């Protein structure tokens, strides 16, 4: 009998909670997290959140789904304020998977969940920015959960109208040029494990950097394999390439890759966006230097005067020759927008659309 009474009281509390807060109350019908993260990526995110002093629970079940992790309210431990999704490239590469994930997210948001998504590629490439965005999302979610349920009136803001320019995105813009690849090696191609071979390889890397900078280290190694006739870069060849590239310089100035893996010419700023020629394969997303992506985003917004985030991601993908707009493309494009907003070059206009800041 006592169990029945307890069940009745629990259902009554749930009903009263639902009557007070509506659908948001349903989000509390949860399975406890199992306490296990599913990847190194998730483990790092959990450790970062805990390092900020928040109580985060991995693998929380809700409405038949699993959320990678959820953060509890600091003053109300029984209430989750935000769910964190940590996504890599593999699952979301297929269109059906993306559609299924959008439906899942829609269900969770209708149940009152605030969700914040972190893409693995963005976490590895720009972790400091991703940590700032994550912390801000948690702080905002806690603040929102503490507000009264009645919405405050929103004052009407009259924004200055912005003239939208019709842009033919199918035509190559005048600020883009075909990617220039290195020509035939101007050096001997001796065994890179020897002293003489190291000299040849350094000279070749300088030649590639002069022709293609800023250029990612992986692209340099692909050129090395082609020029030397190497099928795969084994451990010994990789050590030789690393050593030669680390010591490569132009007039005493190093051209070794920086922390992002990109080799740059000293004191040379990129002035054009490089796009694939008719016979060239597109560069991979991870091989596009940040400054080149930022330049492309700036020009695209400048041409259109006003551009929404989805169209921007589509045009960035088309510009660099990628077949489809992946979530990673969207995420990296959004990171570029964040950098440009931080520098004061871009602003979000009415409706969240993007425009350049007037000089």
């Amino acid at each position: 009998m006592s169990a029945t009474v307890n069940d009745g009281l629990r259902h009554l509390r749930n009903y009263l909670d639902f009557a007070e807060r509506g659908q948001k109350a349903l989000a509390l019908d949860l399975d406890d997290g199992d306490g296990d993260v599913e990847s190194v990526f998730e483990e790092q995110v959990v450790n970062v959140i805990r390092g900020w002093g928040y109580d985060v629970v991995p693998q929380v079940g809700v409405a038949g789904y699993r959320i990678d992790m959820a953060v509890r309210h600091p003053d109300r431990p029984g209430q989750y304020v935000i769910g964190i999704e940590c996504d890599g490239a593999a699952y979301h590469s297929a269109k059906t998977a993306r559609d299924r994930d959008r439906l899942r997210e829609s269900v969770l948001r209708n149940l009152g969940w605030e969700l914040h998504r972190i893409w693995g590629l963005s976490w590895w490439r720009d972790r400091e920015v991703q940590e700032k965005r994550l912390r801000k999302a948690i702080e905002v979610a806690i603040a929102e959960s503490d507000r009264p349920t009645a919405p405050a009136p929103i004052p009407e803001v009259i924004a200055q109208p912005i003239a939208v320019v019709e842009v033919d995105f199918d035509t190559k813009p005048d600020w883009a040029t075909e990617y220039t690849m290195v020509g035939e090696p101007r050096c001997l191609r001796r065994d890179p494990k020897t002293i003489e071979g190291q000299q040849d390889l350094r000279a070749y890397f300088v030649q590639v950097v002069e022709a293609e900078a800023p250029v990612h280290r992986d692209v340099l190694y692909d050129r090395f394999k082609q020029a030397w006739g190497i099928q795969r870069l084994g451990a010994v060849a990789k050590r030789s390439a690393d050593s030669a590239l680390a010591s490569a310089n132009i007039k005493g100035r190093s051209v070794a890759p920086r922390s992002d893996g990109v080799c740059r010419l000293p004191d040379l700023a990129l002035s054009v966006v490089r796009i694939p020629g008719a016979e060239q394969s597109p560069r991979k997303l991870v091989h596009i230097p940040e400054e080149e992506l930022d330049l492309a985003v700036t020009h695209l917004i400048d041409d259109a005067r006003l551009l929404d985030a989805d169209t921007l991601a589509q045009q960035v993908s088309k510009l660099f020759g990628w077949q489809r707009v992946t979530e990673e493309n969207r995420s990296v494009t959004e990171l570029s927008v964040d950098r440009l907003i931080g520098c004061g070059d871009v602003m979000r206009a009415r409706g969240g659309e993007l425009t350049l800041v007037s000089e």
Side-chain angles (χ1 to χ4, degrees):
M1 178 65 71
S2 60
T4 303
V5 172
N6 288 336
D7 287 342
L9 290 173
R10 180 172 58 84
H11 289 306
L12 177 60
R13 285 195 300 270
N14 289 342
Y15 173 78
L16 293 174
D17 192 24
F18 178 79
E20 179 184 355
R21 300 194 300 117
Q23 281 188 308
K24 287 190 175 183
L26 298 178
L28 295 180
D29 184 15
L30 305 170
D31 297 333
D32 291 335
D34 61 18
D36 293 328
V37 294
E38 295 187 340
S39 67
V40 174
F41 176 23
E42 290 182 20
E43 182 179 8
Q44 290 187 358
V45 175
V46 166
N47 289 338
V48 166
I49 296 173
R50 286 175 177 165
W52 294 332
Y54 295 112
D55 184 7
V56 57
V57 181
Q59 298 302 311
V60 174
V62 55
Y65 298 110
R66 282 275 172 186
I67 297 176
D68 291 334
M69 62 194 72
V71 179
R72 297 184 191 272
H73 193 289
D75 300 321
R76 298 190 292 275
Q79 177 186 348
Y80 291 106
V81 293
I82 190 170
I84 313 295
E85 296 282 73
C86 301
D87 294 320
Y91 176 77
H92 298 274
S93 59
K95 183 179 184 300
T96 54
R98 296 198 305 275
D99 291 342
R100 186 164 61 246
D101 200 55
R102 290 191 184 101
L103 174 61
R104 169 181 177 277
E105 181 170 330
S106 177
V107 170
L108 292 171
R109 288 192 183 278
N110 284 337
L111 289 174
W113 275 86
E114 290 296 326
L115 296 175
H116 180 77
R117 190 180 299 276
I118 309 172
W119 297 103
L121 178 60
S122 302
W123 182 261
W124 303 123
R125 288 189 64 168
D126 205 346
R127 179 163 170 174
E128 182 178 355
V129 170
Q130 290 302 310
E131 287 188 8
K132 288 180 179 177
R133 294 178 69 181
L134 172 61
R135 188 163 192 172
K136 178 70 173 179
I138 295 173
E139 292 171 349
V140 169
I142 293 172
E144 289 292 333
S145 70
D146 291 336
R147 287 185 180 181
T149 54
I154 301 175
E156 181 180 359
V157 177
I158 301 176
Q160 185 70 23
I162 299 173
V164 180
V165 179
E166 291 293 331
V167 179
D168 182 5
F169 286 117
D170 292 326
T171 302
K172 187 183 81 170
D174 56 9
W175 42 263
T177 187
E178 291 187 1
Y179 191 95
T180 301
M181 295 179 61
V182 69
E184 283 294 314
R186 299 192 302 261
C187 62
L188 298 176
R189 281 169 278 185
R190 291 171 287 193
D191 185 346
K193 295 190 297 294
T194 65
I195 295 177
E196 295 80 6
Q198 281 281 293
Q199 294 172 348
D200 296 343
L201 191 49
R202 275 197 301 273
Y204 181 65
F205 282 152
V206 167
Q207 182 185 345
V208 179
V209 172
E210 287 176 331
E212 302 186 29
V215 56
H216 197 277
R217 171 181 50 221
D218 293 346
V219 176
L220 284 168
Y221 289 173
D222 285 342
R223 303 281 186 267
F224 162 52
K225 289 190 296 183
Q226 294 167 7
W228 263 252
I230 298 173
Q231 294 299 316
R232 60 180 294 272
L233 205 60
V236 175
K238 176 68 163 51
R239 284 196 297 270
S240 297
D242 288 343
S243 176
L245 185 55
S247 57
N249 68 86
I250 297 176
K251 297 180 180 178
R253 302 285 296 278
S254 173
V255 295
R258 300 181 189 174
S259 58
D260 59 356
V262 175
C263 300
R264 296 171 172 87
L265 285 173
D267 303 324
L268 181 64
L270 188 67
S271 59
V272 293
V273 176
R274 287 90 53 87
I275 60 177
E279 303 299 324
Q280 292 178 352
S281 299
R283 285 174 291 169
K284 296 178 181 179
L285 173 63
V286 295
H287 295 164
I288 305 295
E290 284 185 358
E291 62 265 36
E292 189 167 6
L293 182 62
D294 292 353
L295 188 60
V297 167
T298 301
H299 280 304
L300 286 168
I301 297 174
D302 188 30
D303 286 351
R305 295 292 301 279
L306 198 65
L307 200 60
D308 65 87
D310 283 342
T311 303
L312 176 61
Q314 292 168 10
Q315 297 313 317
V316 167
S317 297
K318 181 185 294 185
L319 185 69
F320 288 110
W322 303 322
Q323 293 298 314
R324 62 183 184 274
V325 184
T326 65
E327 296 297 345
E328 286 73 26
N329 294 358
R330 294 181 189 277
S331 179
V332 171
T333 301
E334 182 65 24
L335 281 175
S336 175
V337 170
D338 287 346
R339 286 193 295 270
L340 293 169
I341 290 176
C343 294
D345 297 328
V346 167
M347 65 174 288
R348 295 190 189 276
R350 182 172 47 194
E353 293 182 302
L354 304 163
T355 186
L356 291 190
V357 176
S358 300
E359 296 183 359

